[in-house]
Amino acid sequence: MSRMLPGTRALRTFEAAGRHLNFTRAADEVGLTPAAVSYQIKEIEDQLGVVLFIRTSRSIQLTPAGAVLFEATVQALETLQRAVGRARRMARGAQQLRVSLSPRFATNWLLPRLSQFRAANPTIELTFDITDEVRDFDADDVDIAIRFGSGRYAQTRSERLFEAVIAPVCSPKLIAASGMPKTPRDLFGQTLCHVECYTEGMLWPNWRMWMAAAGIDDFDDSRCVAFTDTSHVVEAVIDGGAVGLVDLAMIQNELAEGRLVQLFVIGVSVAEDYAYHLVYPQSSGQDPRVGAFCDWMLGEMTSAERPLALASS
């Protein structure tokens, strides 16, 4: 039986080729050349005695037999990945708690408070999966995640932490050069930057949205600079050449150290009910490690000061 089945690496290549229906894109994903992908597919076909793809000069398509094997391969690889994740969770010990969170949340919110958690929970060892990607708890070996969004995820429990309050900031150097702006219209002559991204289909607040919340309806946003990552906005602002819209909770270090200055007590949110949430599988509701981390995080929310009130819009 083992001789009749392709190896895991070959099946991964076949799955990528079947999903993309393009050997070049599949090759980029699995780290091979297009010729190597084609050769691996031909090896699988020879091994099984089945034609998997119809090849033309411009495209490839799965044969009916290839479609059957593709569906089974997707299911098998997913099952194996989840099993590997569960095995890793069992192997790393009962006292370890693996937390998935974004780089900026880790750097600017959690890590400065990590010693407090360790003092309150000396028997729990935190490890981190730092990424902006939404992880699968089983497949990616994660116990609990901090995610920004609606908090509604299938087969999970969610605890709301706090909303993202987006407001303008600049560097002290810019204030020294141009003076402290007194009204939002004073920003019209500045370079204005923001993050351009979507969270669960909702657009992250931009300058047009912030100006509208400030009561300005004739703002021209054609000269605004959009970045794909918050860290790029923060870098541009700290360098002194721009005013940026940022999530205040994620720049508390920079504000406390005086590297950034909040300009106006006007903030906007992504959407109603969108916030940072603790998310964990329903099956982990009785896990004492998850319970301890949730209790500590919610306790921090109670003691933390809210950066500002959201503007009514």
Side-chain angles (χ1 to χ4, degrees):
M1 178 66 72
S2 61
R3 291 184 217 165
M4 295 175 57
L5 297 176
T8 304
R9 182 174 297 179
L11 288 176
R12 179 70 183 88
T13 301
F14 168 63
E15 187 275 337
R19 177 161 36 86
H20 291 293
L21 294 178
N22 184 290
F23 285 169
T24 299
R25 288 200 291 270
D28 290 340
E29 181 175 315
V30 300
L32 297 173
T33 64
V37 169
S38 180
Y39 180 78
Q40 277 203 1
I41 298 300
K42 185 64 169 62
E43 277 196 323
I44 298 173
E45 291 177 326
D46 291 343
Q47 183 180 1
L48 299 179
V50 174
V51 177
L52 301 174
F53 291 97
I54 299 172
R55 299 164 175 83
T56 69
S57 59
R58 296 185 176 180
S59 67
I60 62 171
Q61 294 293 327
L62 286 163
T63 66
V68 169
L69 185 60
F70 174 74
E71 182 179 352
T73 298
V74 170
Q75 294 174 355
L77 290 176
E78 182 178 344
T79 298
L80 181 60
Q81 184 64 42
R82 289 179 179 277
V84 169
R86 289 195 297 269
R88 286 176 174 168
R89 186 177 303 166
M90 294 171 64
R92 60 180 160 84
Q95 299 308 312
Q96 284 193 8
L97 183 73
R98 187 160 175 79
V99 183
S100 182
L101 70 169
S102 70
R104 194 136 195 96
F105 197 103
T107 300
N108 288 271
W109 200 96
L110 184 59
L111 294 183
R113 296 170 168 83
L114 191 56
S115 61
Q116 300 168 33
F117 174 82
R118 287 174 171 164
N121 301 273
T123 63
I124 298 177
E125 179 185 351
L126 290 183
T127 61
F128 300 103
D129 169 59
I130 298 179
T131 178
D132 286 316
E133 297 181 7
V134 175
R135 294 302 204 190
D136 181 288
F137 290 103
D138 278 343
D140 296 311
D141 182 25
V142 170
D143 295 306
I144 191 168
I146 299 171
R147 295 177 180 170
F148 183 83
S150 63
R152 295 183 289 272
Y153 306 100
Q155 298 181 329
T156 65
R157 295 184 180 183
S158 180
E159 302 282 355
R160 189 179 187 278
L161 297 175
F162 54 86
E163 72 268 34
V165 179
I166 314 301
V169 297
C170 74
S171 74
K173 291 185 291 186
L174 188 62
I175 293 176
S178 304
M180 187 72 172
K182 295 180 173 57
T183 71
R185 288 187 180 275
D186 293 339
L187 300 178
F188 280 18
Q190 300 291 344
T191 299
L192 305 180
C193 59
H194 61 270
V195 176
E196 186 173 284
C197 68
Y198 288 83
T199 299
E200 298 181 11
M202 302 299 297
L203 179 64
W204 200 262
N206 55 34
W207 276 103
R208 179 182 54 78
M209 297 162 67
W210 186 87
M211 288 290 181
I216 296 174
D217 57 10
D218 60 345
F219 175 67
D220 179 7
D221 63 357
S222 61
R223 297 178 59 190
C224 292
V225 180
F227 293 99
T228 58
D229 189 274
T230 299
S231 62
H232 298 153
V233 175
V234 173
E235 288 174 10
V237 174
I238 289 178
D239 285 344
V243 178
L245 280 180
V246 295
D247 181 353
L248 293 181
M250 296 298 105
I251 58 163
Q252 290 302 299
N253 289 346
E254 289 88 345
L255 291 172
E257 294 167 2
R259 289 186 289 155
L260 291 177
V261 177
Q262 181 182 330
L263 295 179
F264 298 100
V265 186
I266 301 172
V268 292
S269 63
V270 176
E272 186 178 358
D273 294 333
Y274 274 52
Y276 291 97
H277 292 85
L278 282 170
V279 184
Y280 54 93
Q282 290 178 349
S283 58
S284 299
Q286 302 303 314
D287 187 326
R289 301 166 305 158
V290 170
F293 188 74
C294 286
D295 289 345
W296 177 76
M297 286 288 291
L298 294 173
E300 288 294 307
M301 295 304 100
T302 301
S303 60
E305 293 184 3
R306 184 186 173 105
L308 48 67
L310 289 171
S312 59
S313 56

Short mmCIF file of all heavy atoms in Angstrom, two decimals, residues 198-260:
data_model
loop_
_atom_site.label_atom_id
_atom_site.label_comp_id
_atom_site.label_asym_id
_atom_site.label_seq_id
_atom_site.Cartn_x
_atom_site.Cartn_y
_atom_site.Cartn_z
N TYR A 198 -7.90 46.44 5.09
CA TYR A 198 -9.24 46.02 5.47
C TYR A 198 -9.14 44.97 6.57
O TYR A 198 -8.26 44.12 6.56
CB TYR A 198 -9.98 45.43 4.27
CG TYR A 198 -10.40 46.44 3.25
CD1 TYR A 198 -9.50 46.87 2.27
CD2 TYR A 198 -11.68 47.00 3.26
CE1 TYR A 198 -9.89 47.82 1.32
CE2 TYR A 198 -12.07 47.94 2.32
CZ TYR A 198 -11.17 48.35 1.35
OH TYR A 198 -11.54 49.28 0.43
N THR A 199 -10.05 45.05 7.53
CA THR A 199 -10.18 44.05 8.58
C THR A 199 -11.56 43.43 8.49
O THR A 199 -12.57 44.12 8.70
CB THR A 199 -9.98 44.69 9.97
OG1 THR A 199 -8.67 45.24 10.05
CG2 THR A 199 -10.14 43.64 11.06
N GLU A 200 -11.61 42.15 8.13
CA GLU A 200 -12.89 41.46 7.94
C GLU A 200 -13.81 42.25 7.01
O GLU A 200 -15.01 42.37 7.23
CB GLU A 200 -13.57 41.20 9.29
CG GLU A 200 -12.75 40.31 10.21
CD GLU A 200 -13.44 40.05 11.54
OE1 GLU A 200 -14.64 40.39 11.68
OE2 GLU A 200 -12.78 39.52 12.44
N GLY A 201 -13.22 42.82 5.97
CA GLY A 201 -13.98 43.56 4.98
C GLY A 201 -14.23 45.01 5.31
O GLY A 201 -14.77 45.75 4.48
N MET A 202 -13.83 45.46 6.51
CA MET A 202 -14.04 46.84 6.91
C MET A 202 -12.76 47.65 6.69
O MET A 202 -11.67 47.22 7.07
CB MET A 202 -14.44 46.92 8.39
CG MET A 202 -15.71 46.13 8.72
SD MET A 202 -17.16 46.71 7.84
CE MET A 202 -17.30 48.38 8.48
N LEU A 203 -12.90 48.83 6.07
CA LEU A 203 -11.76 49.68 5.78
C LEU A 203 -11.24 50.34 7.05
O LEU A 203 -12.01 50.90 7.84
CB LEU A 203 -12.16 50.76 4.78
CG LEU A 203 -11.07 51.77 4.39
CD1 LEU A 203 -9.93 51.07 3.67
CD2 LEU A 203 -11.67 52.87 3.51
N TRP A 204 -9.93 50.26 7.26
CA TRP A 204 -9.30 50.93 8.40
C TRP A 204 -9.43 52.45 8.21
O TRP A 204 -9.32 52.95 7.09
CB TRP A 204 -7.83 50.53 8.45
CG TRP A 204 -7.19 50.75 9.79
CD1 TRP A 204 -6.42 51.80 10.14
CD2 TRP A 204 -7.24 49.89 10.93
NE1 TRP A 204 -6.00 51.67 11.44
CE2 TRP A 204 -6.49 50.51 11.95
CE3 TRP A 204 -7.86 48.67 11.18
CZ2 TRP A 204 -6.33 49.94 13.20
CZ3 TRP A 204 -7.72 48.11 12.43
CH2 TRP A 204 -6.95 48.73 13.43
N PRO A 205 -9.68 53.22 9.27
CA PRO A 205 -9.91 54.66 9.13
C PRO A 205 -8.78 55.38 8.41
O PRO A 205 -7.60 55.15 8.71
CB PRO A 205 -10.04 55.13 10.59
CG PRO A 205 -10.57 53.94 11.31
CD PRO A 205 -9.90 52.76 10.66
N ASN A 206 -9.15 56.26 7.49
CA ASN A 206 -8.17 57.07 6.75
C ASN A 206 -8.42 58.55 7.05
O ASN A 206 -9.29 58.90 7.85
CB ASN A 206 -8.24 56.77 5.25
CG ASN A 206 -9.65 56.96 4.70
OD1 ASN A 206 -10.40 57.83 5.14
ND2 ASN A 206 -10.02 56.13 3.73
N TRP A 207 -7.65 59.41 6.38
CA TRP A 207 -7.75 60.83 6.69
C TRP A 207 -9.10 61.44 6.29
O TRP A 207 -9.61 62.33 6.96
CB TRP A 207 -6.61 61.60 6.03
CG TRP A 207 -5.37 61.55 6.85
CD1 TRP A 207 -4.26 60.78 6.65
CD2 TRP A 207 -5.12 62.28 8.06
NE1 TRP A 207 -3.34 60.99 7.64
CE2 TRP A 207 -3.83 61.91 8.52
CE3 TRP A 207 -5.85 63.21 8.79
CZ2 TRP A 207 -3.28 62.44 9.68
CZ3 TRP A 207 -5.29 63.75 9.95
CH2 TRP A 207 -4.02 63.35 10.37
N ARG A 208 -9.67 60.97 5.20
CA ARG A 208 -10.99 61.47 4.81
C ARG A 208 -12.02 61.18 5.90
O ARG A 208 -12.84 62.04 6.25
CB ARG A 208 -11.41 60.85 3.48
CG ARG A 208 -12.79 61.30 3.01
CD ARG A 208 -13.16 60.60 1.71
NE ARG A 208 -13.04 59.16 1.81
CZ ARG A 208 -13.92 58.37 2.40
NH1 ARG A 208 -15.02 58.90 2.95
NH2 ARG A 208 -13.75 57.07 2.44
N MET A 209 -11.96 59.97 6.47
CA MET A 209 -12.89 59.58 7.52
C MET A 209 -12.63 60.38 8.79
O MET A 209 -13.57 60.78 9.49
CB MET A 209 -12.77 58.07 7.76
CG MET A 209 -13.16 57.24 6.54
SD MET A 209 -12.56 55.53 6.61
CE MET A 209 -13.51 54.89 7.98
N TRP A 210 -11.36 60.60 9.12
CA TRP A 210 -11.06 61.35 10.35
C TRP A 210 -11.50 62.80 10.21
O TRP A 210 -12.08 63.38 11.14
CB TRP A 210 -9.58 61.27 10.68
CG TRP A 210 -9.26 61.91 12.01
CD1 TRP A 210 -9.30 61.32 13.24
CD2 TRP A 210 -8.90 63.28 12.22
NE1 TRP A 210 -9.00 62.24 14.21
CE2 TRP A 210 -8.73 63.45 13.63
CE3 TRP A 210 -8.69 64.37 11.40
CZ2 TRP A 210 -8.38 64.66 14.20
CZ3 TRP A 210 -8.34 65.59 11.96
CH2 TRP A 210 -8.18 65.72 13.35
N MET A 211 -11.23 63.41 9.05
CA MET A 211 -11.65 64.80 8.85
C MET A 211 -13.16 64.93 8.92
O MET A 211 -13.69 65.91 9.46
CB MET A 211 -11.12 65.31 7.50
CG MET A 211 -9.62 65.56 7.46
SD MET A 211 -9.13 66.98 8.47
CE MET A 211 -7.35 66.99 8.19
N ALA A 212 -13.89 63.95 8.40
CA ALA A 212 -15.35 63.99 8.48
C ALA A 212 -15.80 63.93 9.94
O ALA A 212 -16.73 64.64 10.34
CB ALA A 212 -15.94 62.82 7.69
N ALA A 213 -15.13 63.10 10.75
CA ALA A 213 -15.46 63.03 12.17
C ALA A 213 -15.14 64.34 12.88
O ALA A 213 -15.78 64.68 13.88
CB ALA A 213 -14.70 61.87 12.83
N ALA A 214 -14.15 65.09 12.34
CA ALA A 214 -13.79 66.38 12.91
C ALA A 214 -14.67 67.51 12.39
O ALA A 214 -14.45 68.67 12.73
CB ALA A 214 -12.32 66.68 12.62
N GLY A 215 -15.64 67.19 11.53
CA GLY A 215 -16.57 68.19 11.04
C GLY A 215 -16.13 68.89 9.77
O GLY A 215 -16.69 69.92 9.40
N ILE A 216 -15.14 68.32 9.07
CA ILE A 216 -14.63 68.94 7.84
C ILE A 216 -15.10 68.12 6.65
O ILE A 216 -14.76 66.94 6.53
CB ILE A 216 -13.09 69.03 7.88
CG1 ILE A 216 -12.66 69.96 9.02
CG2 ILE A 216 -12.54 69.52 6.55
CD1 ILE A 216 -11.17 70.01 9.24
N ASP A 217 -15.87 68.75 5.77
CA ASP A 217 -16.42 68.02 4.63
C ASP A 217 -15.82 68.43 3.29
O ASP A 217 -16.27 67.96 2.24
CB ASP A 217 -17.94 68.17 4.58
CG ASP A 217 -18.39 69.63 4.53
OD1 ASP A 217 -17.52 70.51 4.34
OD2 ASP A 217 -19.60 69.88 4.67
N ASP A 218 -14.81 69.29 3.29
CA ASP A 218 -14.20 69.72 2.03
C ASP A 218 -12.73 69.31 1.96
O ASP A 218 -11.91 69.98 1.32
CB ASP A 218 -14.34 71.23 1.86
CG ASP A 218 -13.67 72.02 2.99
OD1 ASP A 218 -13.35 71.41 4.03
OD2 ASP A 218 -13.46 73.24 2.83
N PHE A 219 -12.39 68.21 2.61
CA PHE A 219 -10.99 67.77 2.65
C PHE A 219 -10.63 67.04 1.36
O PHE A 219 -11.35 66.17 0.89
CB PHE A 219 -10.77 66.84 3.85
CG PHE A 219 -9.39 66.23 3.91
CD1 PHE A 219 -8.29 67.02 4.15
CD2 PHE A 219 -9.21 64.87 3.71
CE1 PHE A 219 -7.03 66.48 4.22
CE2 PHE A 219 -7.95 64.31 3.77
CZ PHE A 219 -6.85 65.12 4.03
N ASP A 220 -9.50 67.40 0.78
CA ASP A 220 -8.98 66.76 -0.42
C ASP A 220 -7.92 65.75 0.00
O ASP A 220 -6.85 66.13 0.48
CB ASP A 220 -8.37 67.82 -1.35
CG ASP A 220 -7.79 67.21 -2.62
OD1 ASP A 220 -7.96 65.99 -2.84
OD2 ASP A 220 -7.13 67.95 -3.38
N ASP A 221 -8.21 64.46 -0.17
CA ASP A 221 -7.29 63.42 0.27
C ASP A 221 -6.36 62.92 -0.83
O ASP A 221 -5.68 61.90 -0.66
CB ASP A 221 -8.05 62.23 0.87
CG ASP A 221 -8.94 61.55 -0.16
OD1 ASP A 221 -9.00 62.02 -1.31
OD2 ASP A 221 -9.58 60.54 0.19
N SER A 222 -6.29 63.63 -1.96
CA SER A 222 -5.49 63.16 -3.09
C SER A 222 -4.00 63.16 -2.81
O SER A 222 -3.23 62.45 -3.46
CB SER A 222 -5.78 64.00 -4.34
OG SER A 222 -5.43 65.37 -4.12
N ARG A 223 -3.56 63.94 -1.82
CA ARG A 223 -2.12 64.02 -1.51
C ARG A 223 -1.74 63.18 -0.30
O ARG A 223 -0.58 63.19 0.13
CB ARG A 223 -1.73 65.48 -1.27
CG ARG A 223 -1.90 66.38 -2.49
CD ARG A 223 -1.54 67.81 -2.18
NE ARG A 223 -0.17 67.94 -1.72
CZ ARG A 223 0.35 69.05 -1.20
NH1 ARG A 223 -0.42 70.14 -1.07
NH2 ARG A 223 1.60 69.09 -0.80
N CYS A 224 -2.69 62.46 0.27
CA CYS A 224 -2.37 61.60 1.41
C CYS A 224 -1.51 60.42 0.97
O CYS A 224 -1.63 59.92 -0.15
CB CYS A 224 -3.64 61.09 2.07
SG CYS A 224 -4.62 62.38 2.88
N VAL A 225 -0.67 59.97 1.87
CA VAL A 225 0.21 58.83 1.60
C VAL A 225 -0.30 57.62 2.36
O VAL A 225 -0.49 57.68 3.58
CB VAL A 225 1.67 59.14 2.03
CG1 VAL A 225 2.57 57.94 1.75
CG2 VAL A 225 2.18 60.38 1.31
N ALA A 226 -0.54 56.52 1.65
CA ALA A 226 -1.08 55.31 2.26
C ALA A 226 0.01 54.25 2.36
O ALA A 226 0.77 54.03 1.41
CB ALA A 226 -2.26 54.78 1.46
N PHE A 227 0.10 53.60 3.50
CA PHE A 227 1.02 52.49 3.73
C PHE A 227 0.21 51.22 4.02
O PHE A 227 -0.95 51.29 4.42
CB PHE A 227 1.95 52.77 4.90
CG PHE A 227 2.92 53.90 4.67
CD1 PHE A 227 2.66 55.17 5.18
CD2 PHE A 227 4.10 53.69 3.97
CE1 PHE A 227 3.54 56.21 4.98
CE2 PHE A 227 4.99 54.72 3.76
CZ PHE A 227 4.71 55.99 4.26
N THR A 228 0.84 50.08 3.82
CA THR A 228 0.16 48.82 4.09
C THR A 228 0.40 48.32 5.50
O THR A 228 -0.23 47.33 5.91
CB THR A 228 0.63 47.74 3.10
OG1 THR A 228 2.06 47.58 3.21
CG2 THR A 228 0.28 48.13 1.67
N ASP A 229 1.28 48.97 6.26
CA ASP A 229 1.62 48.50 7.60
C ASP A 229 1.73 49.68 8.55
O ASP A 229 2.30 50.72 8.20
CB ASP A 229 2.94 47.72 7.57
CG ASP A 229 3.21 47.01 8.88
OD1 ASP A 229 3.78 47.65 9.78
OD2 ASP A 229 2.87 45.83 9.00
N THR A 230 1.21 49.52 9.77
CA THR A 230 1.25 50.60 10.76
C THR A 230 2.67 51.02 11.09
O THR A 230 2.94 52.20 11.32
CB THR A 230 0.54 50.14 12.05
OG1 THR A 230 -0.82 49.84 11.75
CG2 THR A 230 0.59 51.23 13.12
N SER A 231 3.60 50.07 11.11
CA SER A 231 4.98 50.41 11.46
C SER A 231 5.57 51.41 10.48
O SER A 231 6.38 52.26 10.87
CB SER A 231 5.84 49.14 11.50
OG SER A 231 5.90 48.52 10.24
N HIS A 232 5.16 51.36 9.21
CA HIS A 232 5.68 52.31 8.22
C HIS A 232 5.13 53.70 8.49
O HIS A 232 5.83 54.70 8.29
CB HIS A 232 5.30 51.85 6.81
CG HIS A 232 5.88 50.53 6.45
ND1 HIS A 232 5.30 49.67 5.54
CD2 HIS A 232 7.00 49.89 6.87
CE1 HIS A 232 6.03 48.58 5.42
NE2 HIS A 232 7.07 48.69 6.22
N VAL A 233 3.87 53.77 8.93
CA VAL A 233 3.30 55.07 9.29
C VAL A 233 4.06 55.65 10.48
O VAL A 233 4.45 56.82 10.47
CB VAL A 233 1.81 54.93 9.63
CG1 VAL A 233 1.25 56.26 10.13
CG2 VAL A 233 1.02 54.46 8.42
N VAL A 234 4.30 54.84 11.49
CA VAL A 234 5.00 55.31 12.68
C VAL A 234 6.41 55.78 12.33
O VAL A 234 6.88 56.82 12.81
CB VAL A 234 5.03 54.20 13.75
CG1 VAL A 234 5.91 54.62 14.93
CG2 VAL A 234 3.62 53.88 14.24
N GLU A 235 7.11 55.04 11.48
CA GLU A 235 8.46 55.43 11.06
C GLU A 235 8.43 56.77 10.34
O GLU A 235 9.28 57.64 10.59
CB GLU A 235 9.05 54.36 10.16
CG GLU A 235 9.43 53.08 10.88
CD GLU A 235 9.87 52.00 9.91
OE1 GLU A 235 10.06 52.33 8.71
OE2 GLU A 235 10.03 50.84 10.34
N ALA A 236 7.47 56.96 9.43
CA ALA A 236 7.38 58.21 8.69
C ALA A 236 7.11 59.39 9.62
O ALA A 236 7.65 60.49 9.43
CB ALA A 236 6.27 58.12 7.64
N VAL A 237 6.29 59.17 10.66
CA VAL A 237 5.96 60.24 11.59
C VAL A 237 7.15 60.55 12.49
O VAL A 237 7.50 61.73 12.71
CB VAL A 237 4.73 59.86 12.42
CG1 VAL A 237 4.47 60.90 13.50
CG2 VAL A 237 3.51 59.72 11.52
N ILE A 238 7.80 59.54 13.02
CA ILE A 238 8.93 59.76 13.92
C ILE A 238 10.08 60.46 13.20
O ILE A 238 10.80 61.28 13.78
CB ILE A 238 9.40 58.44 14.54
CG1 ILE A 238 8.36 57.94 15.55
CG2 ILE A 238 10.76 58.58 15.24
CD1 ILE A 238 8.70 56.61 16.19
N ASP A 239 10.24 60.17 11.91
CA ASP A 239 11.29 60.83 11.14
C ASP A 239 11.05 62.33 11.03
O ASP A 239 11.96 63.08 10.65
CB ASP A 239 11.38 60.23 9.73
CG ASP A 239 12.05 58.86 9.75
OD1 ASP A 239 12.70 58.55 10.77
OD2 ASP A 239 11.91 58.12 8.77
N GLY A 240 9.82 62.78 11.33
CA GLY A 240 9.56 64.22 11.40
C GLY A 240 8.91 64.82 10.20
O GLY A 240 8.63 66.02 10.18
N GLY A 241 8.65 64.03 9.17
CA GLY A 241 8.15 64.61 7.94
C GLY A 241 6.67 64.44 7.70
O GLY A 241 6.18 64.86 6.64
N ALA A 242 5.94 63.83 8.61
CA ALA A 242 4.54 63.54 8.33
C ALA A 242 3.71 63.57 9.60
O ALA A 242 4.23 63.48 10.72
CB ALA A 242 4.40 62.17 7.65
N VAL A 243 2.41 63.69 9.41
CA VAL A 243 1.42 63.49 10.47
C VAL A 243 0.69 62.20 10.13
O VAL A 243 0.27 61.99 8.99
CB VAL A 243 0.43 64.66 10.55
CG1 VAL A 243 -0.62 64.40 11.64
CG2 VAL A 243 1.15 65.97 10.81
N GLY A 244 0.57 61.31 11.10
CA GLY A 244 0.01 60.00 10.81
C GLY A 244 -1.22 59.68 11.64
O GLY A 244 -1.35 60.13 12.78
N LEU A 245 -2.11 58.89 11.05
CA LEU A 245 -3.24 58.32 11.78
C LEU A 245 -2.84 56.95 12.29
O LEU A 245 -2.49 56.07 11.49
CB LEU A 245 -4.46 58.19 10.87
CG LEU A 245 -5.30 59.43 10.61
CD1 LEU A 245 -6.46 59.08 9.69
CD2 LEU A 245 -5.81 60.05 11.90
N VAL A 246 -2.89 56.76 13.60
CA VAL A 246 -2.45 55.49 14.18
C VAL A 246 -3.39 55.07 15.30
O VAL A 246 -4.15 55.88 15.85
CB VAL A 246 -1.00 55.59 14.72
CG1 VAL A 246 -0.01 55.83 13.59
CG2 VAL A 246 -0.89 56.68 15.76
N ASP A 247 -3.31 53.81 15.64
CA ASP A 247 -4.04 53.24 16.77
C ASP A 247 -3.31 53.62 18.05
O ASP A 247 -2.18 53.18 18.29
CB ASP A 247 -4.10 51.72 16.59
CG ASP A 247 -4.85 51.02 17.71
OD1 ASP A 247 -5.23 51.67 18.69
OD2 ASP A 247 -5.06 49.79 17.59
N LEU A 248 -3.93 54.45 18.88
CA LEU A 248 -3.24 54.99 20.06
C LEU A 248 -2.76 53.92 21.01
O LEU A 248 -1.70 54.05 21.63
CB LEU A 248 -4.16 55.97 20.79
CG LEU A 248 -4.50 57.26 20.04
CD1 LEU A 248 -5.40 58.14 20.89
CD2 LEU A 248 -3.24 58.03 19.63
N ALA A 249 -3.52 52.84 21.16
CA ALA A 249 -3.11 51.79 22.10
C ALA A 249 -1.82 51.12 21.67
O ALA A 249 -1.10 50.56 22.50
CB ALA A 249 -4.22 50.75 22.22
N MET A 250 -1.51 51.18 20.37
CA MET A 250 -0.33 50.50 19.86
C MET A 250 0.91 51.40 19.83
O MET A 250 1.98 50.97 19.39
CB MET A 250 -0.59 49.97 18.44
CG MET A 250 -1.67 48.90 18.38
SD MET A 250 -1.26 47.41 19.33
CE MET A 250 -2.33 47.61 20.77
N ILE A 251 0.79 52.65 20.28
CA ILE A 251 1.96 53.54 20.32
C ILE A 251 2.15 54.13 21.70
O ILE A 251 2.69 55.23 21.85
CB ILE A 251 1.85 54.66 19.26
CG1 ILE A 251 0.57 55.49 19.48
CG2 ILE A 251 1.91 54.10 17.85
CD1 ILE A 251 0.59 56.82 18.76
N GLN A 252 1.69 53.43 22.73
CA GLN A 252 1.82 53.96 24.08
C GLN A 252 3.27 54.19 24.47
O GLN A 252 3.59 55.14 25.19
CB GLN A 252 1.13 53.02 25.07
CG GLN A 252 -0.39 53.00 24.95
CD GLN A 252 -1.01 54.38 25.16
OE1 GLN A 252 -0.85 54.98 26.22
NE2 GLN A 252 -1.66 54.88 24.13
N ASN A 253 4.18 53.32 24.02
CA ASN A 253 5.60 53.52 24.33
C ASN A 253 6.11 54.83 23.73
O ASN A 253 6.79 55.63 24.40
CB ASN A 253 6.44 52.35 23.78
CG ASN A 253 6.23 51.08 24.56
OD1 ASN A 253 5.67 51.10 25.66
ND2 ASN A 253 6.66 49.97 24.01
N GLU A 254 5.80 55.06 22.45
CA GLU A 254 6.27 56.26 21.77
C GLU A 254 5.68 57.52 22.39
O GLU A 254 6.36 58.55 22.52
CB GLU A 254 5.93 56.19 20.28
CG GLU A 254 6.74 55.19 19.49
CD GLU A 254 6.12 53.80 19.49
OE1 GLU A 254 5.22 53.55 20.32
OE2 GLU A 254 6.55 52.97 18.66
N LEU A 255 4.42 57.46 22.79
CA LEU A 255 3.79 58.62 23.43
C LEU A 255 4.40 58.88 24.80
O LEU A 255 4.70 60.04 25.15
CB LEU A 255 2.28 58.39 23.57
CG LEU A 255 1.46 58.39 22.27
CD1 LEU A 255 0.03 57.95 22.55
CD2 LEU A 255 1.47 59.77 21.62
N ALA A 256 4.61 57.81 25.57
CA ALA A 256 5.18 57.97 26.92
C ALA A 256 6.61 58.50 26.87
O ALA A 256 7.03 59.27 27.74
CB ALA A 256 5.13 56.64 27.66
N GLU A 257 7.35 58.09 25.87
CA GLU A 257 8.76 58.51 25.75
C GLU A 257 8.91 59.84 25.04
O GLU A 257 10.03 60.35 24.91
CB GLU A 257 9.54 57.43 24.99
CG GLU A 257 9.64 56.11 25.75
CD GLU A 257 10.14 54.97 24.87
OE1 GLU A 257 10.45 55.24 23.67
OE2 GLU A 257 10.21 53.84 25.36
N GLY A 258 7.81 60.44 24.57
CA GLY A 258 7.87 61.74 23.92
C GLY A 258 8.32 61.70 22.48
O GLY A 258 8.59 62.76 21.89
N ARG A 259 8.38 60.54 21.88
CA ARG A 259 8.79 60.46 20.47
C ARG A 259 7.63 60.79 19.54
O ARG A 259 7.83 61.16 18.39
CB ARG A 259 9.34 59.08 20.15
CG ARG A 259 10.70 58.80 20.79
CD ARG A 259 11.25 57.48 20.33
NE ARG A 259 10.52 56.36 20.90
CZ ARG A 259 10.46 55.16 20.34
NH1 ARG A 259 11.04 54.95 19.18
NH2 ARG A 259 9.80 54.18 20.94
N LEU A 260 6.40 60.64 20.04
CA LEU A 260 5.21 61.02 19.30
C LEU A 260 4.33 61.89 20.18
O LEU A 260 4.33 61.75 21.41
CB LEU A 260 4.43 59.79 18.84
CG LEU A 260 5.08 58.90 17.77
CD1 LEU A 260 4.20 57.69 17.49
CD2 LEU A 260 5.34 59.68 16.49
#
